[in-house]
């Protein structure tokens, strides 16, 4: 059977996973009466809750006696490592672009990576049924983007489709019959080349996706680059430097059929397969027959730009809500994550019982923390920090910069420009985008964006959309102002009372409700002024046996500001931590004892 391997790449929310649903349905992968969940490829709980794709996943359809292996990829820049990694498995890419939003930063990132690998892309302008669609302008934007990214003549001559993934049709013309997706299937067969592989050489493949199965153990997915994989054949695993990791047998070969993985006896070169039976192999090592002595080349991924400190939960409530609370358990879990996620790096921290975790962005590390929280871990997280580097030629200190594209209603554009300027952002472009909106483009240090997203949504009344992409390293631009308001810090251990919180409401915004457990050094609210204020949130009304002459006033509390994990991480300053447990997210001072805090302030150190 002929094989085609393609990846579907695009910016977030441009309709990749919804399009894959329709490709599966129209290729006959499901029975007519089979119930299939919406966005079937987003199988992870977190993916379903957030409505985003986090992990790259493979599926397979058959069209006109040709098997098309399709890889659905994440759209967020934070998960760009997933996209970079899987591009080595495919020979073509379907680039989806929203017909109204056009080419956005992540479109630029994934297209640049695909063009650099020499892939021949197919451009699909999706969501043509939108009222504000502008397909002709978007077509020109994409051509300009390809030219700016250095595409060759063959890549610039890309085929174009107009589609609606939700309605399940694609056409070569805007005014076509809009019947089904058969024009897309036919175009993939014509335009995407078959894998160029050597079927007679000994078996070899590069592990690209790693997952753990309760029954099979480690399952490694990749494309067979040469030879044929057979059940129970002996193999060895080679590191990129050529050293042997382990030897073993392929106890299971799983080929993709629709959403299922089906056991097969053998897989030929060019097909994508999942193998089991190896205990130590990881990404991006080469799994090969014993006679193969040289590892296959693997794709390097961009380095991380942001790091956080993961610490043991040493607070007064530590160990009460989680099952995994020791630093050894946290360490094992973090190093296990690095095996399957090559965009994350973990190292020992100078602090005792703490680890430095570096990644692509707050969202990526936030997803890791949320997964650990659901697994029963308790930990405390420090403020995100960017990773600086020194330029070897000039000796200058450099920091990561990001390209930010903001769509905002015109009345709010002024406050956005002002806030970005305070955070050392440089405006690159400003133009109307139709419908009373303005599109702003900035170049800004990554440091300046930490903690800004919540403030941005408040400033734009929830109507602004911000897209960001790592641009590169540039010279350090100096200190950037952080949060302006101080904190309300609990001075007592116990449960909060309505009586006490009612009198504290005038001091600022509260983060806790009546009856919640608090402890000394825990942050229970944001002070209305710049300084920190220690308060007693557990004070009760003193009762006597003498009837009061007046009536008590009704103690009505303003609903507290409840923060989720990402908001809490973005909110904290350098001397604060986020305490994460399976049932709560709390904010606390790094040093709980007020005397210790004052001593550190005087010495000018928070570490």
């Amino acid at each position: 059977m002929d094989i085609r391997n393609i990846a579907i790449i695009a910016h977030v929310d441009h309709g990749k996973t919804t399009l894959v649903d329709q490709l599966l349905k129209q290729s006959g992968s499901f029975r007519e009466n089979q119930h299939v969940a919406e966005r079937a490829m987003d199988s992870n709980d977190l993916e379903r809750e957030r409505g985003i794709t986090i992990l790259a996943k493979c599926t397979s359809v058959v069209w006109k006696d040709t098997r098309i292996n399709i890889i659905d990829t994440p759209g967020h820049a934070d998960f760009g490592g997933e996209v970079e990694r899987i591009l080595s498995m495919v020979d073509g890419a379907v680039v989806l672009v929203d017909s109204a939003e056009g080419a956005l930063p992540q479109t630029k990132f994934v297209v640049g990576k695909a063009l650099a690998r020499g892939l021949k892309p197919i451009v699909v302008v999706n969501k043509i049924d939108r009222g504000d669609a502008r397909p002709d302008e978007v077509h020109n934007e994409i051509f300009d983007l390809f030219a700016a990214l250095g595409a060759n003549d063959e890549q610039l001559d890309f085929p174009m489709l107009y589609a609606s993934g939700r309605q399940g049709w694609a056409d070569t013309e805007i005014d076509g019959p809009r019947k089904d997706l058969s024009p897309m299937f036919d175009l993939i067969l014509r335009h995407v080349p078959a894998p160029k592989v050597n079927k007679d050489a000994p078996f070899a493949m590069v592990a690209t996706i790693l997952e753990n199965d309760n029954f099979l153990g480690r399952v490694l997915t990749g494309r067979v680059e040469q030879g044929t994989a057979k059940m129970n054949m002996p193999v060895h695993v080679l590191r990129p430097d050529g050293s042997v990791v382990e030897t073993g047998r392929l106890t299971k070969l799983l080929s993709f059929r629709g959403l299922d993985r089906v056991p097969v006896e053998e897989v030929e070169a060019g097909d994508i397969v999942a193998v089991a039976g190896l205990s130590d192999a990881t990404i991006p090592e080469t799994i090969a027959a014993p006679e193969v002595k040289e590892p296959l080349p693997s794709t390097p991924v961009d380095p991380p730009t942001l790091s956080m400190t993961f610490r043991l939960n040493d607070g007064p409530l530590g160990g009460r809500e989680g099952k995994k609370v020791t630093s050894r358990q946290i360490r094992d879990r973090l190093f296990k994550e690095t095996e399957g996620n090559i965009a994350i790096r973990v190292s020992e921290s100078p602090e005792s019982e703490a680890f430095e975790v570096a990644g692509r962005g707050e969202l990526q590390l936030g997803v890791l923390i949320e997964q650990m929280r659901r697994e029963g871990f308790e930990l405390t997280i420090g403020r995100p920090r960017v990773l600086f580097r020194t330029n070897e030629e000039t000796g200058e200190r450099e920091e990561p910069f990001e390209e930010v594209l903001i769509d905002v209603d015109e009345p709010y554009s002024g406050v956005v420009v002002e806030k970005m300027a305070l955070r050392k952002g440089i405006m690159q472009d400003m133009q109307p985008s139709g419908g009373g909106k303005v599109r702003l483009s900035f170049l800004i240090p990554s440091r300046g964006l930490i903690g800004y997203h919540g403030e941005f949504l408040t400033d734009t009344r929830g109507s602004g959309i911000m897209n960001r992409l790592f641009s590169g390293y540039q010279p350090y631009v100096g200190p950037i102002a952080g949060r302006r308001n101080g904190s309300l810090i609990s001075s007592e251990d116990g449960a909060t009372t309505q009586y006490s919180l009612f009198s504290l409401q005038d001091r600022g915004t509260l983060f806790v409700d009546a009856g919640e457990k608090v402890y000394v050094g825990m942050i229970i609210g944001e002070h209305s002024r710049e300084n920190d204020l220690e308060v007693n949130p557990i004070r009760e009304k003193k009762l006597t046996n003498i009837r009061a002459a007046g009536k008590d006033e009704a103690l009505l509390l303003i609903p507290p500001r409840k923060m989720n994990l990402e908001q809490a991480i973005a909110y904290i300053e350098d001397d604060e931590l986020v305490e994460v447990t399976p049932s709560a997210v709390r904010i606390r001072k790094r040093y709980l004892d007020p005397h210790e805090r004052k001593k550190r302030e005087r010495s000018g150190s928070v570490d």
Side-chain angles (χ1 to χ4, degrees), residues 43 76 82 123 240 286 294 300 308 324 347 414 426 447 554 580 584:
S43 51
H76 280 87
E82 293 278 318
V123 174
T286 301
E294 289 293 320
M308 293 185 196
K324 300 172 182 174
S347 57
I426 304 159
R447 279 183 305 139
V580 181

Side-chain angles (χ1 to χ4, degrees), residues 303-333:
T305 57
L306 193 82
S307 92
M308 293 185 196
T309 305
F310 284 47
R311 301 169 68 255
L312 185 75
N313 182 11
D314 54 1
L317 302 178
R320 297 190 192 183
E321 296 163 4
K323 296 174 186 169
K324 300 172 182 174
V325 296
T326 65
S327 60
R328 180 184 58 80
Q329 289 170 315
I330 294 170
R331 181 184 189 281
D332 291 348
R333 174 65 180 83

Side-chain angles (χ1 to χ4, degrees), residues 20 74 77 88 93 103 115 168 228 279 293 329 336 440 445 451 480 500 514 525 531:
V20 174
S88 60
L115 294 177
T228 303
S279 55
K293 301 301 179 189
Q329 289 170 315
K336 183 181 172 187
L440 307 168
I480 295 174
S500 182
N531 61 310

Side-chain angles (χ1 to χ4, degrees), residues 474-492:
Q474 293 194 21
Y476 176 67
V477 294
I480 295 174
R483 194 178 78 223
R484 294 184 179 183
N485 293 36
S487 304
L488 297 177
I489 307 166
S490 173
S491 62
E492 303 290 336

Side-chain angles (χ1 to χ4, degrees), residues 426-439:
I426 304 159
M427 186 189 286
Q428 307 287 97
D429 190 24
M430 179 178 185
Q431 56 187 8
S433 55
K437 285 187 173 286
V438 178
R439 178 165 285 188

